[in-house]
């Protein structure tokens, strides 16, 4: 009886050691997976591509590669009045729309711009300086009076109303302070656009009528208006956009056709100064998807490596995964968080684990 007991204990110990070795060699969590398929597909996405405004002509890089947005109104012109002491009044408002703006700088996206500005180009062909005056309305809000600025005689100049006159983010010939109310409105972005109205050019030290430019002369007073801003954001502000797996360069359906539950294992390097998170909800297919952890923002020029799992569950076996919209959130990690063409988002779909 004693021998049998010792044998039983020895056998149990051996079994325990065997199970322990199996656990060390294999991931027991994989027991629930029906298949783990290698993908090894890498997408190196420029910020324009990752954020959905590739080939947008309204966004261009400067000499450092920092991206800037610009939207311009039409240019309106008027001949000089017969009496040079009379002001030049532009009755027609100048409208700047956001039709060509990337979603990330629209108010609906939730981001907060660091340096939004209004650039007005004024042509003054007369032999006397004129004083520019006008009002600006943002997304249909009550118009705000812009500061009066002197425009030199016989010149066409770019006048920039900027939050920081000492350190403007956009080039111009003359700088003037952007009213705080307008700065607050423009920082949040626009969905509709802005309107410059009540534009008046008032002569200063007007010459005599004989020396003035007449209405039939070639010289014309003209004005246009632009909304300009670097794609630079305030720390803590969150930009929300939508992309699909197809937009990001992945064909997930190739691996998960008919699957109701699966994990996509990602890795890569984030060079953007934004923390990245994304999820998916599709009512049509009953699909939900969530990233296992947020992707940290870059803290140096070497970028921040990451690995994460995108966990997907769906009730419809025929759901087209590639077309499901991913709700992407980018949180600015510093001020300014600037989008630069040299800062890609590199992501690799390593494997797909089919659960059921």
């Amino acid at each position: 009886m004693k021998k049998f007991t010792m044998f039983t204990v020895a056998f149990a110990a051996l079994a325990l050691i065997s199970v322990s070795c199996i656990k060390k060699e294999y991931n027991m969590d994989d027991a629930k997976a029906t298949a783990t398929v290698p993908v090894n597909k890498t997408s190196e996405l420029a910020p324009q591509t990752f954020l959905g405004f590739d080939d947008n002509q309204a966004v261009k890089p400067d000499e450092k590669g920092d991206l800037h947005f610009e939207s311009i109104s039409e240019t309106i012109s008027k001949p000089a009045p017969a009496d040079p002491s009379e002001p030049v009044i532009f009755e027609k408002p100048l409208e700047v729309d956001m039709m060509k703006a990337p979603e990330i700088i629209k108010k609906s996206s939730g981001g907060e711009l660091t340096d939004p500005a209004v650039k007005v180009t004024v042509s003054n062909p007369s032999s006397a300086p004129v004083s520019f005056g006008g009002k600006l309305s943002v997304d249909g809000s009550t118009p705000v009076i812009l500061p009066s600025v002197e425009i030199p005689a016989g010149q066409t100049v770019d006048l920039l109303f900027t939050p920081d006159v000492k350190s403007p983010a956009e080039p111009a010939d003359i700088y003037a302070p952007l009213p705080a109310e307008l700065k607050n409105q423009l920082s949040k972005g626009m969905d509709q656009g802005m309107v410059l109205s009540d534009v008046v050019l008032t002569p200063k030290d007007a010459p005599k009528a004989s020396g003035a430019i007449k209405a039939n002369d070639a010289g014309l007073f003209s004005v246009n208006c632009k909304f300009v801003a670097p794609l630079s954001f305030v720390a803590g502000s969150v930009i929300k956009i939508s992309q699909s797996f197809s937009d990001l360069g992945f064909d997930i359906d190739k691996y998960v056709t008919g699957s109701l539950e699966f994990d996509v294992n990602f890795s890569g390097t984030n060079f953007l100064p934004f923390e990245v998170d994304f999820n998916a909800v599709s009512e049509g297919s009953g699909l939900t998807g969530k990233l296992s952890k947020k992707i940290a923002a870059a803290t140096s020029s070497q970028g921040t490596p990451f690995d994460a799992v995108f966990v997907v569950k769906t009730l419809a076996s025929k759901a087209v995964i590639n077309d499901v919209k991913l709700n992407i959130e980018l949180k600015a990690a510093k001020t300014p968080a600037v989008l630069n063409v040299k800062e890609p988002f590199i992501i690799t779909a390593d494997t797909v684990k089919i659960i059921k």
Side-chain angles (χ1 to χ4, degrees), residues 2 50 56 84 108 166 185 198 233 251 255 268 335-336:
K2 186 176 181 180
F50 181 53
N56 189 319
S108 54
K166 294 182 179 179
Q185 291 174 329
D198 301 303
F233 298 84
D251 181 7
Y255 306 95
T335 300

Side-chain angles (χ1 to χ4, degrees), residues 9 38 61 98 138 158 248 268 290 311:
V9 172
M98 296 294 284
V138 177
D158 286 331
L248 301 181
K290 184 171 178 59
V311 181

Side-chain angles (χ1 to χ4, degrees), residues 171-185:
D173 302 305
I174 302 174
Y175 300 97
L178 182 70
E181 183 179 351
L182 289 174
K183 195 272 181 184
N184 292 336
Q185 291 174 329

Side-chain angles (χ1 to χ4, degrees), residues 36-303:
T36 298
V37 185
V39 179
N40 299 322
K41 173 67 170 65
T42 299
S43 289
E44 183 169 338
L45 305 166
Q48 305 98 303
T49 305
F50 181 53
L51 301 177
F53 56 93
D54 216 1
D55 299 323
N56 189 319
Q57 297 302 309
V59 180
K60 296 180 181 179
D62 62 16
E63 66 279 358
K64 297 186 298 182
D66 293 344
L67 292 166
H68 294 248
F69 172 78
E70 177 179 295
S71 182
I72 186 171
S73 72
E74 65 174 326
T75 299
I76 55 177
S77 302
K78 292 201 70 172
D83 183 349
S85 65
E86 291 183 0
V88 180
I89 301 173
F90 294 86
E91 293 87 359
K92 184 178 181 181
L94 291 163
E95 299 182 4
V96 178
D97 68 48
M98 296 294 284
M99 292 296 292
K100 296 181 181 179
E103 292 298 318
I104 64 167
I105 65 169
K106 291 187 177 180
K107 187 175 182 179
S108 54
S109 77
E112 184 178 350
L113 295 165
T114 59
D115 294 290
V118 177
K119 183 179 287 186
V120 180
T121 302
V122 182
S123 181
N124 173 21
S126 74
S127 56
V130 295
S131 179
F132 167 87
K135 298 178 181 179
L136 193 75
S137 172
V138 177
D139 271 353
S141 64
T142 302
V144 176
I145 298 174
L146 293 169
S148 178
V149 180
E150 182 175 307
I151 308 300
Q155 293 188 32
T156 297
V157 299
D158 286 331
L159 164 60
L160 188 75
F161 294 97
T162 173
D164 189 348
V165 175
K166 294 182 179 179
S167 182
E170 303 289 341
D173 302 305
I174 302 174
Y175 300 97
L178 182 70
E181 183 179 351
L182 289 174
K183 195 272 181 184
N184 292 336
Q185 291 174 329
L186 292 174
S187 291
K188 297 175 182 177
M190 294 178 285
D191 289 329
Q192 301 168 30
M194 65 184 195
V195 178
L196 178 64
S197 62
D198 301 303
V199 175
V200 178
L201 302 179
T202 305
K204 301 183 69 176
D205 304 323
K208 297 179 181 179
S210 59
I213 297 176
K214 300 297 190 298
N216 59 357
D217 284 345
L220 293 174
F221 291 89
S222 66
V223 62
N224 66 38
C225 182
K226 301 175 186 175
F227 173 62
V228 291
L231 298 192
S232 168
F233 298 84
V234 176
S237 64
V238 178
I239 302 167
K240 297 181 180 181
I241 60 171
S242 293
Q243 291 279 60
S244 67
F245 278 117
S246 295
D247 295 329
L248 301 181
F250 297 113
D251 181 7
I252 302 300
D253 284 298
K254 177 180 178 180
Y255 306 95
V256 301
T257 302
S259 301
L260 299 181
E261 186 176 339
F262 57 90
D263 297 344
V264 184
N265 294 277
F266 286 112
S267 62
T269 305
N270 181 16
F271 290 90
L272 304 174
F274 296 85
E275 179 185 82
V276 180
D277 192 14
F278 55 89
N279 62 70
V281 177
S282 174
E283 295 181 0
S285 60
L287 180 145
T288 61
K290 184 171 178 59
L291 205 62
S292 61
K293 57 184 176 182
K294 295 179 181 179
I295 297 170
T299 56
S300 71
S301 59
Q302 283 72 44

